[in-house]
C-alpha cells in the first residue's frame, strides 16, 4: 500500500483525496431478473494529484466539490463509530465459512441476493458451487458490510482491488450510488481520527446518510440521487 494515498474529511465539507488516487465510474450490472451480478468498469475521470469530492450531494460539478456545501450550510456531522468492522458485525456460522454482517453499512448494491441470498449460502458452503458463489457475491459488496471468513484459517477472504475510487452508478435503481473506496485507502475523520483501513468501503455522497461518512443506502430513496 502506498502511504501517500489518503482521504481527509473536512468538517461540513468535501472529501479531500491526496496521493493521485485513480477515479472512475463503476456500474452495477444486473440480470433480466434485476439481480446484481457484476461490476462494469467505466470511464476514468480525470483528476489531479489532490482533488475534492462532493459530500453534500448538491454540487453542480459532481463527483467533484464546487463549494455548494457552504451555501446550503451542509451538516456533515460524522456519526459512524470507529470500532473495527468485525466488532460491529453479526457473525453467522456455516460448516466451512462464516459470514460477518454489519447491516448498518449496507449501500444497497444487492449482490447479496442472487442464488438464494448469502445468508442462506453460508450454511451450505460444503458444496463447492455454493461456496464459490458465496465468496464471489460477498466480495462484490462494495461497502464491506459483508465479509466471508474461512473457518479453517480464521481469516477473511477478500477480492484483490486496486487502490482507487469508484463513483457508483445503479441503472436498475435509476440513481447514482456512493463513492466506493477500494484497496485499503486510509480515511481520516474531520477531527483527525482515522477510521479502520479496509479493502472495501462506501462513503456517502448524497448527503443523506444517517451513518456519515459512510453510505447507508439513502441515495436509493426518493428523490433519487444523481451524479
Amino acid at each position: 500500500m502506498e502511504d501517500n494515498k489518503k482521504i481527509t474529511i473536512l468538517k461540513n465539507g468535501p472529501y479531500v483525496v491526496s496521493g493521485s488516487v485513480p477515479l472512475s465510474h463503476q456500474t452495477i450490472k444486473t440480470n433480466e431478473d434485476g439481480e446484481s451480478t457484476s461490476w462494469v468498469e467505466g470511464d476514468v475521470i480525470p483528476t489531479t494529484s489532490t482533488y475534492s469530492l462532493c459530500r453534500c450531494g448538491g454540487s453542480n460539478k459532481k463527483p467533484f466539490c464546487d463549494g455548494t456545501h457552504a451555501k446550503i450550510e451542509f451538516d456533515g456531522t460524522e456519526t459512524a463509530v470507529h470500532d473495527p468492522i468485525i466488532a460491529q458485525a453479526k457473525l453467522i456460522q456455516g460448516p466451512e465459512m462464516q459470514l460477518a454482517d454489519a447491516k448498518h453499512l449496507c449501500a444497497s448494491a444487492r449482490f447479496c441476493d442472487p442464488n438464494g441470498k448469502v445468508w442462506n449460502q453460508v450454511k451450505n458452503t460444503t458444496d463447492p458451487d455454493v461456496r464459490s458463489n458465496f465468496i464471489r457475491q460477498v466480495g462484490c459488496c462494495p461497502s464491506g458490510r459483508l465479509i466471508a471468513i474461512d473457518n479453517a484459517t480464521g481469516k477473511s477472504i477478500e477480492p484483490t482491488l486496486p487502490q482507487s475510487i469508484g463513483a457508483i452508478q445503479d441503472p436498475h435503481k435509476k440513481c447514482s450510488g456512493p463513492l466506493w473506496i477500494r484497496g485499503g485507502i486510509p480515511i481520516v475523520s474531520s477531527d483527525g481520527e482515522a477510521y479502520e483501513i479496509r479493502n472495501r468501503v462506501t462513503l456517502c455522497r448524497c448527503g443523506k446518510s444517517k451513518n456519515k461518512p459512510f453510505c447507508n443506502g439513502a441515495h436509493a430513496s426518493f428523490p433519487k440521487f444523481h451524479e
Side-chain angles (χ1 to χ4, degrees):
M1 181 175 64
E2 298 179 23
D3 293 337
N4 65 333
K5 287 181 169 57
K6 183 172 67 173
I7 298 171
T8 303
I9 302 170
L10 298 189
K11 184 177 181 180
N12 299 325
Y15 304 108
V16 178
V17 183
S18 55
S20 300
V21 179
L23 177 66
S24 65
H25 288 109
Q26 298 289 331
T27 299
I28 298 173
K29 182 179 179 180
T30 56
N31 60 23
E32 60 184 12
D33 296 320
E35 296 176 323
S36 299
T37 57
S38 61
W39 287 101
V40 178
E41 183 90 19
D43 295 334
V44 172
I45 303 172
T47 62
T48 54
S49 60
T50 299
Y51 54 93
S52 297
L53 296 174
C54 177
R55 188 158 73 99
C56 71
S59 173
N60 290 314
K61 295 182 178 179
K62 300 183 187 74
F64 301 106
C65 170
D66 70 350
T68 296
H69 60 274
K71 299 175 184 177
I72 64 175
E73 298 184 347
F74 170 62
D75 182 0
T77 302
E78 297 168 57
T79 56
V81 300
H82 287 259
D83 297 341
I85 184 66
I86 201 67
Q88 303 179 48
K90 175 183 178 181
L91 291 177
I92 302 172
Q93 183 69 49
E96 292 192 356
M97 305 201 72
Q98 297 179 66
L99 176 65
D101 182 2
K103 186 177 181 180
H104 59 289
L105 294 177
C106 181
S108 298
R110 310 177 306 284
F111 287 95
C112 49
D113 291 335
N115 303 303
K117 300 184 183 294
V118 295
W119 300 274
N120 297 319
Q121 291 171 3
V122 70
K123 302 170 186 176
N124 298 294
T125 44
T126 51
D127 183 316
D129 291 336
V130 173
R131 180 187 175 100
S132 177
N133 282 328
F134 172 75
I135 293 172
R136 177 182 57 79
Q137 290 175 227
V138 169
C140 280
C141 170
S143 69
R145 163 195 171 173
L146 302 171
I147 303 171
I149 302 172
D150 189 322
N151 287 342
T153 64
K155 296 181 179 180
S156 61
I157 299 177
E158 284 288 325
T160 300
L161 297 172
Q163 282 194 305
S164 59
I165 298 176
I168 293 177
Q169 304 301 325
D170 191 346
H172 183 72
K173 289 293 184 179
K174 299 180 180 179
C175 65
S176 297
L179 295 169
W180 182 15
I181 313 305
R182 309 190 297 175
I185 299 173
I187 300 169
V188 180
S189 67
S190 58
D191 63 5
E193 184 179 358
Y195 290 97
E196 179 187 24
I197 297 175
R198 296 193 287 126
N199 188 38
R200 296 171 286 134
V201 180
T202 48
L203 293 177
C204 173
R205 63 177 180 133
C206 71
K208 304 299 183 183
S209 174
K210 300 300 183 182
N211 190 41
K212 293 182 180 71
F214 303 112
C215 172
N216 74 342
H219 61 274
S221 302
F222 184 82
K224 300 291 188 182
F225 171 70
H226 294 281
E227 180 178 309

